[in-house]
Amino acid sequence: MRFQSVVVVNVDGSLVQHPLTCLGSFDREEEGWRRNNDWVWRRDGEEDEEIIWMMCEEEKKKGNSFLVNLEERTGGGIFTCHSLDRTLLKKTTVLVKHLDEQKRILEGSTRTGYMKCSTRNYQGEFHCSWKFTPTRVGTVMFVKVARGLSDTENISCSVDASGQQWTCSSSSGQSDIMCSVNSSGLGVSCVDRQYCPYAEETDRITLTIYMRTNYLLEEYSQRFYLSEIVKPDNVYIKEVNSSTIEWSYPVSWNRPISYFPLSFQVKEIEGRKCKNGCTCDSPYTEVHTTESSQWSVKAKVTVCVRAQDALCDSPWSDWTEHRSVPHSLVYCIQENLSSGTPSCSM
């Protein structure tokens, strides 16, 4: 076989006819087909009867050219051309890229987006995930990622032998991002190798995923600064004494904390009047915002703490729950452990 190729054709709903050639392209001025560096002379309009086009092992026509009819979401497939002795000369996969926002392979919408992206710190790493609709499942065909809109037009992307790890670099050298498709096929993990956590982001990252299902191709894009998607890991809470707790910054968060400060929300839930834990929102809860990392706890009150970048309106971390144990109960449990007597009743 000489070579194989993939052709993507944009279809807007009307009939689109896309020409394929087997051994080269026809030059009307020269009246011939170019095969590599040689000319095979033909009269204008004459086809090469020594070439056979096939699809799904069915012969379609003879000649060097073949016109593929594409409409809506149909017409794509694998087209092969052969010599008369059935030797394979070329294999072309034709994919239909349909611009229909109502029938998408991923859950979401143009308003809410189709991908959710996040990072847990300012180290240049980020993760984007998606969900397939119940009726259709696809695979990642191509990944394109860059910083800055101007760079997206001059980006060169390559993939490794596994077909899962993509590297995209700009001709200017200002953008160099590597992405790996997760084994589940439901996300990509990326790292911006030019990123500096101490410098202000001047350009957004543009991530584009091309998703294939059968012979259909769909394009999904997301644009963001890391500061817009940063979501800290959970804080760690410990007791200072019977009436005070304190929490520490997540281990994964950037240091020094004076340069990367966090704000905290503290939710107090009275007694056991909420069954949903920290996600509870009712008249029995109070929410406070603080820069401090200590809090005075009240008896029979559950305390929940979460963190957010103090300098950006980015997502909050998940809640960390702390439920105070009455001092008398702690003392009783300790006594029981040492004496072997039955457990306490309060």
Side-chain angles (χ1 to χ4, degrees):
M1 182 175 62
R2 290 175 180 263
F3 63 93
Q4 54 185 344
S5 62
V6 177
V7 176
V8 178
V9 183
N10 292 323
V11 178
D12 59 5
S14 58
L15 176 65
V16 174
Q17 293 185 313
H18 186 81
L20 301 179
T21 57
C22 184
L23 299 179
S25 57
F26 187 79
D27 190 311
R28 293 188 178 277
E29 292 184 0
E30 298 288 350
E31 295 186 351
W33 295 101
R34 180 180 290 279
R35 297 184 181 179
N36 297 330
N37 293 322
D38 299 324
W39 284 97
V40 180
W41 300 106
R42 291 286 183 271
R43 293 189 299 273
D44 190 8
E46 183 181 9
E47 287 282 15
D48 191 334
E49 296 295 324
E50 298 178 356
I51 296 174
I52 302 171
W53 282 94
M54 302 186 71
M55 181 183 179
C56 299
E57 299 183 356
E58 178 184 350
E59 184 174 327
K60 292 296 184 180
K61 72 178 292 287
K62 290 184 178 181
N64 188 61
S65 63
F66 184 78
L67 204 59
V68 181
N69 292 320
L70 306 163
E71 189 170 12
E72 294 290 342
R73 295 170 171 267
T74 63
I78 298 177
F79 300 85
T80 57
C81 60
H82 308 254
S83 59
L84 291 179
D85 62 2
R86 292 300 193 270
T87 298
L88 181 60
L89 302 176
K90 184 179 178 181
K91 176 182 176 181
T92 304
T93 301
V94 177
L95 303 179
V96 177
K97 184 182 174 188
H98 192 271
L99 308 177
D100 186 355
E101 295 295 337
Q102 303 302 317
K103 300 177 181 179
R104 305 287 273 175
I105 190 173
L106 298 186
E107 292 184 355
S109 66
T110 52
R111 181 180 62 85
T112 62
Y114 295 92
M115 295 187 286
K116 297 185 181 301
C117 298
S118 66
T119 178
R120 59 182 186 168
N121 53 36
Y122 291 106
Q123 298 292 353
E125 299 176 357
F126 60 92
H127 176 77
C128 296
S129 61
W130 52 79
K131 289 184 179 180
F132 291 113
T133 58
T135 56
R136 297 171 65 200
V137 176
T139 56
V140 176
M141 181 77 178
F142 192 83
V143 176
K144 186 176 183 180
V145 59
R147 265 198 190 274
L149 283 176
S150 58
D151 276 340
T152 57
E153 302 301 326
N154 302 300
I155 287 293
S156 175
C157 298
S158 60
V159 64
D160 68 356
S162 69
Q164 303 299 306
Q165 184 165 299
W166 296 81
T167 301
C168 295
S169 302
S170 65
S171 56
S172 65
Q174 298 299 311
S175 181
D176 183 11
I177 302 177
M178 184 174 65
C179 293
S180 296
V181 181
N182 298 352
S183 58
S184 64
L186 297 175
V188 291
S189 297
C190 307
V191 56
D192 182 352
R193 298 192 286 193
Q194 297 282 10
Y195 178 73
C196 175
Y198 303 101
E200 183 179 356
E201 293 180 277
T202 57
D203 295 303
R204 281 186 169 90
I205 292 173
T206 301
L207 172 69
T208 304
I209 303 293
Y210 295 86
M211 198 72 66
R212 175 181 173 178
T213 171
N214 296 323
Y215 297 108
L216 295 176
L217 192 70
E218 295 180 3
E219 176 182 336
Y220 300 91
S221 292
Q222 194 87 352
R223 296 185 65 234
F224 51 85
Y225 293 112
L226 293 186
S227 58
E228 293 176 323
I229 64 169
V230 65
K231 177 183 177 181
D233 285 339
N234 287 43
V235 301
Y236 172 73
I237 301 177
K238 68 177 182 179
E239 287 189 358
V240 177
N241 52 50
S242 60
S243 61
T244 306
I245 61 172
E246 70 177 9
W247 50 85
S248 56
Y249 276 53
V251 175
S252 60
W253 190 249
N254 295 68
R255 265 57 174 183
I257 60 176
S258 58
Y259 196 84
F260 300 97
L262 292 175
S263 292
F264 305 97
Q265 272 191 350
V266 180
K267 179 185 290 188
E268 294 180 311
I269 307 173
E270 295 182 18
R272 299 181 180 272
K273 297 179 180 179
C274 262
K275 296 182 179 179
N276 299 328
C278 291
T279 59
C280 174
D281 288 307
S282 77
Y284 304 107
T285 65
E286 290 186 26
V287 180
H288 314 269
T289 301
T290 179
E291 306 295 325
S292 174
S293 58
Q294 283 197 344
W295 197 258
S296 297
V297 295
K298 306 171 185 176
K300 298 182 180 180
V301 170
T302 298
V303 177
C304 303
V305 183
R306 64 180 182 177
Q308 180 192 49
D309 185 341
L311 305 179
C312 301
D313 186 21
S314 54
W316 287 92
S317 71
D318 294 329
W319 290 104
T320 300
E321 179 179 326
H322 176 80
R323 182 170 295 176
S324 298
V325 179
H327 184 69
S328 57
L329 179 58
V330 174
Y331 177 78
C332 182
I333 293 174
Q334 291 173 340
E335 288 293 309
N336 288 336
L337 289 175
S338 60
S339 62
T341 57
S343 60
C344 304
S345 60
M346 299 300 292

